[in-house]
Structure formats: C-alpha cells, structure tokens
Amino acid sequence: AVNIDMSMSEYELVTRQFSDVQMIEAAPDYILNQISQEAERVDNLTVDRRMYKSDEKKLSANAYRRMELIEDDFKTNLKYLEKEESYYEAVKRDMRILEAERLSLRIDAQELTKRQLKVRRISLISVIFLVIVFSIFVIAMIAMDDTQNMLLFVVITGLGAIIALGMFGILRVTERQVMITEKKLNKAAALLNKYINAANALDYGYSKYGVKSSYELVKKFEAYLEMKEEQQRVIKLTTNLNQAEEHLQSLLRQAGVYDTQVWLTRVKALYNKNEMIEVRHNLTVQRQRLRG
C-alpha cells in the first residue's frame, strides 16, 4: 500500500510536469520568445559562472589574506623588502671578502704581538747594556783622568743612541701595525653583526609576507589580483544569474507553468526544441512505468 501511495504521488508530480510542457508549448509566441531568450541567458550565465568558479586555487586562503592586508600599501611593502634584500646582499659580499682575510688577520695579530714583546725585551736589554757601558766609561775616565778616549766614548754613545732610536722606531711601526690589524678585526666583527642583523630583518620580512624572495611576493600579489578579479566576476555573474532565473520563472508562471523551479535544471529545453522533445519523451516513459 505504501509503494502504491508513493507511486501515485510521483505519478501526479510527473503528470503536472507533463502538463507544464504542454502549457509552455501552447503559450503565446511573444511569451515563448521571451522564455527562449531568458532561458538561453540563464544557461550562458550558468556556464560562465562554472568556468570562473574553478577548483584550481592560485593561492591558499592564508596567502590570499596576507596579500589582502598589504594591498593598499603593496608598493611600499615591496620596496621595503627589496631594500632589505639589497642591503643583505651588499653586507654578504663584504663578508665574503673579509672572511678570506680574517684568518690571516688573526695570524698577523698574533705574530705582531709576539714581535712587539720581543722588540720591547731587546730595547730594555739594549738600554741596560748602554747604561752599563756608559757608567764604565765615565768611571774609567774619572779614575784614570783619561780624556784621550773621549772620541771613542762619543762614538759608542752615538751608536747606542742610534740603536735605541732604531728599536724605538721598530716598536712604533709594530704598534701601528697591531692597531691597524685590530681595527680590521673589529671591522670584521662589526660587519658580522651587521650581517646577522640584516639576515634577521630579511627573515622577518619573508615571514611577514609568507615568501622567500621579493620576486615571489610580486608573483603572489599578481595571483591575488587575478583571484580577486575572478571573485568579483563570480559575484557579478551570480547576481545576474539570480535575476535571470527569477525573470525566467516569472515568464513561466505567466505561461501557466505549475512547477517553475524544475525548469531551471532543464533550461536548455526552453530554447532548444530537440531538448524539449527529449524531456517530453522521458516524462512519457516515466508515466507509463508508474502506471504499470
């Protein structure tokens, strides 16, 4: 009994739809023309919207949101990232140059420090030796009342003074070289800090925009603009499609159609006679089976 009731209900539904076909075909020509035109418009808009509503996403939702946040200031953000990249590369180049020098600078610094200590030690010994020689000469001259060796005394004193000055000069040159080497090492250390800071700033920029380079940022923003344009196009198409469907249903109601909603899924039949023949045939077969 339940099956019979269900079959009867479905038979009534199919019969109404078959009657709707007859109502459409019997409608005045001016109504039929309007229905045909609006049905074709609905079909075209449906196809267009399906094409734009592609499942292929150029950006993830997260990436799309990031680009949306920087849209108004994109040029400023891009310029900032390009500037950070340029600075980082410049520091990196300087680092590579200094990296080759740094090991030799450390060796030079050690050697110069050793030389400095050696020169100071020799200078001290020379001064002590000269003081001893000078004292001996003075004591000998006073004790022996010898003025004949005065020239030798002056020569030795002069030689001692030259040696002292030479040692002092070598010490000063060595100290200067040590200072220069220390400055270079300090410069290398400062440059290393700059490199670390530049790398950190660049990492922050990449993390902020979710990219690995400014080039990738440009490509993602271009993809964002395409997706945004597509979304706006889909919204516009959906609005136009809804309006066209409402108008089509209104025209069908004017033609006396009972179930206007179902014709939105058979829209081709409203402007293509072959499709309408197919619909009529399918409904006829359904009715016969249900009667059986």
Side-chain angles (χ1 to χ4, degrees):
V2 174
N3 287 339
I4 291 172
D5 289 342
M6 285 177 63
S7 295
M8 286 179 68
S9 296
E10 193 172 347
Y11 182 80
E12 288 175 9
L13 178 64
V14 172
T15 300
R16 279 201 300 269
Q17 290 181 9
F18 190 83
S19 297
D20 284 344
V21 172
Q22 293 175 324
M23 293 297 292
I24 291 167
E25 290 177 337
D29 287 344
Y30 77 94
I31 291 286
L32 278 176
N33 288 336
Q34 288 183 61
I35 288 172
S36 177
Q37 288 173 11
E38 202 63 23
E40 191 169 3
R41 182 165 176 260
V42 167
D43 193 31
N44 290 337
L45 286 169
T46 303
V47 172
D48 288 348
R49 192 178 67 161
R50 194 178 299 125
M51 286 171 61
Y52 273 96
K53 286 184 74 175
S54 171
D55 291 334
E56 182 188 351
K57 291 187 176 179
K58 297 178 178 67
L59 292 176
S60 66
N62 189 33
Y64 184 91
R65 179 62 181 153
R66 284 177 192 269
M67 296 302 104
E68 190 176 38
L69 288 171
I70 66 167
E71 182 179 3
D72 293 338
D73 300 313
F74 173 71
K75 288 184 179 178
T76 304
N77 285 277
L78 178 62
K79 195 175 288 184
Y80 159 77
L81 198 59
E82 287 175 339
K83 184 180 176 183
E84 289 297 327
E85 281 180 336
S86 178
Y87 179 67
Y88 172 76
E89 288 300 324
V91 175
K92 193 176 177 181
R93 275 196 304 274
D94 291 343
M95 273 295 298
R96 278 200 294 265
I97 295 166
L98 273 178
E99 194 63 37
E101 292 183 16
R102 199 157 59 163
L103 183 60
S104 63
L105 284 171
R106 283 175 179 166
I107 294 168
D108 288 348
Q110 290 172 358
E111 290 296 324
L112 287 168
T113 303
K114 287 178 184 177
R115 192 197 301 174
Q116 197 176 26
L117 291 171
K118 194 182 288 183
V119 170
R120 283 178 178 172
R121 200 161 45 243
I122 292 170
S123 298
L124 183 62
I125 292 167
S126 299
V127 168
I128 292 169
F129 177 74
L130 284 171
V131 168
I132 291 168
V133 170
F134 183 77
S135 299
I136 291 169
F137 261 97
V138 170
I139 292 167
M141 285 174 65
I142 292 169
M144 299 173 67
D145 194 20
D146 185 7
T147 56
Q148 291 179 357
N149 293 321
M150 181 62 73
L151 182 61
L152 180 61
F153 172 73
V154 170
V155 169
I156 291 172
T157 304
L159 286 171
I162 290 168
I163 291 168
L165 286 170
M167 287 297 175
F168 179 74
I170 292 169
L171 184 62
R172 291 295 294 170
V173 169
T174 305
E175 284 177 348
R176 184 172 178 79
Q177 287 176 335
V178 168
M179 285 175 65
I180 291 169
T181 305
E182 283 178 351
K183 281 182 179 178
K184 285 183 178 180
L185 284 169
N186 290 337
K187 184 181 177 183
L191 196 60
L192 179 61
N193 288 334
K194 278 186 180 180
Y195 175 77
I196 292 168
N197 291 337
N200 289 338
L202 195 57
D203 283 343
Y204 169 76
Y206 287 159
S207 174
K208 180 181 177 183
Y209 306 122
V211 295
K212 293 180 181 177
S213 66
S214 58
Y215 175 79
E216 187 182 346
L217 178 62
V218 171
K219 289 299 173 187
K220 279 194 172 183
F221 190 71
E222 287 174 353
Y224 158 75
L225 291 177
E226 285 180 22
M227 283 181 70
K228 183 181 178 183
E229 187 179 348
E230 283 178 12
Q231 287 178 357
Q232 290 172 345
R233 176 73 173 159
V234 167
I235 290 168
K236 187 177 179 181
L237 284 169
T238 302
T239 302
N240 291 341
L241 178 59
N242 290 338
Q243 290 173 352
E245 286 178 343
E246 287 175 9
H247 188 214
L248 177 61
Q249 286 181 282
S250 173
L251 290 169
L252 289 169
R253 280 192 289 271
Q254 288 180 43
V257 173
Y258 174 78
D259 187 357
T260 59
Q261 187 69 32
V262 74
W263 287 99
L264 297 179
T265 61
R266 300 170 180 168
V267 73
K268 282 186 187 297
L270 295 173
Y271 69 89
N272 187 316
K273 288 182 179 179
N274 291 331
E275 290 284 340
M276 184 62 87
I277 291 169
E278 185 69 23
V279 169
R280 177 192 279 272
H281 172 72
N282 289 337
L283 289 171
T284 301
V285 171
Q286 258 186 297
R287 287 177 77 198
Q288 288 172 351
R289 285 177 180 172
L290 286 166
R291 270 203 298 265

